[in-house]
Amino acid sequence: MQKLIAGNWKMNYGGADAVPLATALKSKIVDPKCGVCVCPPFTAIAAVARVLLGTGIAVGGQNVAWEDKGAFTGEISAPMLHEWGATYAIVGHSERRTYFCEDAVTTGKRALNALKHGIMPILCVGETLEERRAGAIENALKAQLEGAFAHIDAGGEQSLVVAYEPIWAIGTGVPATVENALSAVGFIRAWLISKYGVAPKVLYGGSMTALNAHEFLSKGIDGGLIGGASLKPEEFADIVRIAEKIMRNA
Ligand code: PGA
């Protein structure tokens, strides 16, 4: 399966500084042999997409509405993302769930509307530290998957991407161990295969860096959703090179 390296810029580089970051990425990631995508803040998507047009580096939104238009103050729809040149959208990121009360059901609705418009959702799931300590990782993942996939009718590689992001590993500098990540990713794949007969790409996210990416990507994880390290063009390009090399040697 082709690996995907996706950068989540979060609420950074949304203004004039987005173009220099995109330009730096363009010079360091040339003709990538794995999937590469960056998700800037909404305000920078159009400008970043213009810089990255034709480079093989795709652009995505950090969220997407479940309706196309109407009275949904503060939301951005899939047709709007599309118009800006975005082809991916992160949905259900734990920061959305934690700070903005999003849940499994709305995550599924968002993913569904993205799919309707040809935008590839990157659907995030992951457990809290309390759930991990209580031995409830699989229950937490199952609840998130059941809610999100209730109305989605395809789960193969062409339809969407899932990202396993243990919440305690996001932005902490403490990634999951590869064994822990593989066990959760295996559970997610098995759940999707039992529902759809196929599994999509399943990425790992949570303090992935150029130093630990090889470990995750060489052991069967299909890519990374990268926050902090995606803001450093050299490091993000290094992670892309690691993914390309693993694919070449596969
Ligand atoms: P991080 O963020 O790489 O900074 O841990 C990952 C994410 O939130 O997607």
Side-chain angles (χ1 to χ4, degrees), residues 92-99 101-104 107 124-125 144:
H93 190 280
S94 72
E95 286 150 19
R96 300 300 315 170
R97 296 179 195 245
T98 304
Y99 305 132
C101 302
E102 295 192 10
D103 61 21
T107 294
C124 305
V125 294
Q144 290 174 30

Side-chain angles (χ1 to χ4, degrees), residues 37-127:
C37 154
V38 293
C39 301
F42 290 129
T43 49
I45 289 177
V48 169
R50 268 196 299 277
V51 172
L52 297 180
L53 188 69
T55 61
I57 306 174
V59 179
Q62 295 173 18
N63 206 349
V64 59
W66 60 75
E67 294 288 342
D68 292 356
K69 62 184 168 108
F72 297 94
T73 302
E75 289 285 306
I76 298 289
S77 71
M80 293 169 183
L81 285 182
H82 197 264
E83 195 177 12
W84 280 334
T87 50
Y88 284 84
I90 298 171
V91 293
H93 190 280
S94 72
E95 286 150 19
R96 300 300 315 170
R97 296 179 195 245
T98 304
Y99 305 132
F100 303 98
C101 302
E102 295 192 10
D103 61 21
V105 173
T106 54
T107 294
K109 287 169 72 176
R110 291 176 188 279
L112 203 56
N113 203 255
L115 290 169
K116 196 174 109 194
H117 292 283
I119 302 256
M120 177 75 88
I122 301 177
L123 195 156
C124 305
V125 294
E127 82 284 357

Side-chain angles (χ1 to χ4, degrees), residues 8 10 93 95 165 169-172 205-208 225-229:
N8 175 7
K10 308 196 180 186
H93 190 280
E95 286 150 19
E165 296 212 308
I170 295 176
T172 59
S207 301
M208 189 185 272
L225 180 54
I226 295 148

Side-chain angles (χ1 to χ4, degrees), residues 129-154:
L129 193 55
E130 292 68 38
E131 287 163 338
R132 168 161 290 266
R133 286 191 176 135
I137 300 171
E138 295 189 351
N139 282 346
L141 295 176
K142 185 160 171 267
Q144 290 174 30
L145 291 167
E146 278 174 354
F149 282 88
H151 303 291
I152 294 176
D153 61 10

Side-chain angles (χ1 to χ4, degrees), residues 15-40:
D17 43 3
V19 166
L21 177 55
T23 307
L25 288 172
K26 178 179 171 169
S27 72
K28 291 178 195 310
I29 302 172
V30 178
D31 190 20
K33 300 293 183 290
C34 64
V36 184
C37 154
V38 293
C39 301

